């Protein structure tokens, strides 16, 4: 079992930055690929970014490439999402997710078995 707790959400103006963090507990964190997803009101949950268990590979949604950066610290059992140049379209609940390591970084919600409770990010115009 892997337990995930997100933090760092809040209200920010367009063009601003936020850093989300996800603390993991349970089984060996370094064995799990990690992802960030988001769900805007009335929309389906969508992929944002993912990082391999070693941190050597990352994947980003086209909508956030060049603005968001995912990173992890296996010694501290944390994964982070640095979000810069935020837009109102980034407003959503952001979820941290985990799956046992795979040969490639995957992006589907169906591929992740462990989820946090989410943290709200609101970007005002």
């Amino acid at each position: 079992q892997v337990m995930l707790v997100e933090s760092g959400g809040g209200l920010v103006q367009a063009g601003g930055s936020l850093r989300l963090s996800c603390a993991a507990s349970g089984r060996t964190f370094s064995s799990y690929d990690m992802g960030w997803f988001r769900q805007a009101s009335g929309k389906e949950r969508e992929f944002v970014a993912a990082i391999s268990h070693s941190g050597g590979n990352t994947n980003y949604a086209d909508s956030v490439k060049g603005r968001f950066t995912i990173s992890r610290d296996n010694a501290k059992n944390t994964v982070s999402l640095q979000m810069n140049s935020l837009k109102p379209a980034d407003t959503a609940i952001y979820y941290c997710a985990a799956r046992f390591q795979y040969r490639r970084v995957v992006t589907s919600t169906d591929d992740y078995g462990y989820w946090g409770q989410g943290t709200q990010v609101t970007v005002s115009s």
Side-chain angles (χ1 to χ4, degrees):
Q1 188 77 6
V2 177
M3 290 161 285
L4 305 171
V5 179
E6 303 95 335
S7 61
L11 174 64
V12 64
Q13 289 188 331
S17 298
L18 279 176
R19 185 177 181 86
L20 304 183
S21 293
C22 174
S25 60
R27 295 184 178 179
T28 307
F29 178 71
S30 60
S31 296
Y32 287 79
D33 297 338
M34 301 297 296
W36 285 97
F37 293 77
R38 66 187 182 186
Q39 187 167 17
S41 179
K43 295 187 177 181
E44 293 188 353
R45 193 169 299 189
E46 64 175 7
F47 169 74
V48 175
I51 189 167
S52 62
H53 63 284
S54 66
N57 293 299
T58 58
N59 198 342
Y60 295 92
D62 288 343
S63 59
V64 307
K65 280 181 182 176
R67 300 188 298 122
F68 291 11
T69 302
I70 189 172
S71 60
R72 67 188 296 159
D73 186 336
N74 285 346
K76 296 183 178 180
N77 284 13
T78 59
V79 60
S80 299
L81 185 69
Q82 178 66 42
M83 305 186 294
N84 299 328
S85 302
L86 283 162
K87 306 174 181 179
D90 295 317
T91 295
I93 299 174
Y94 283 71
Y95 297 90
C96 175
R99 65 155 292 145
F100 191 74
Q101 60 181 293
Y102 190 56
R103 61 178 181 268
R104 59 182 176 86
V105 178
V106 294
T107 64
S108 171
T109 56
D110 292 339
D111 292 319
Y112 289 81
Y114 302 99
W115 293 85
Q117 83 289 348
T119 185
Q120 176 71 48
V121 171
T122 303
V123 184
S124 63
S125 58

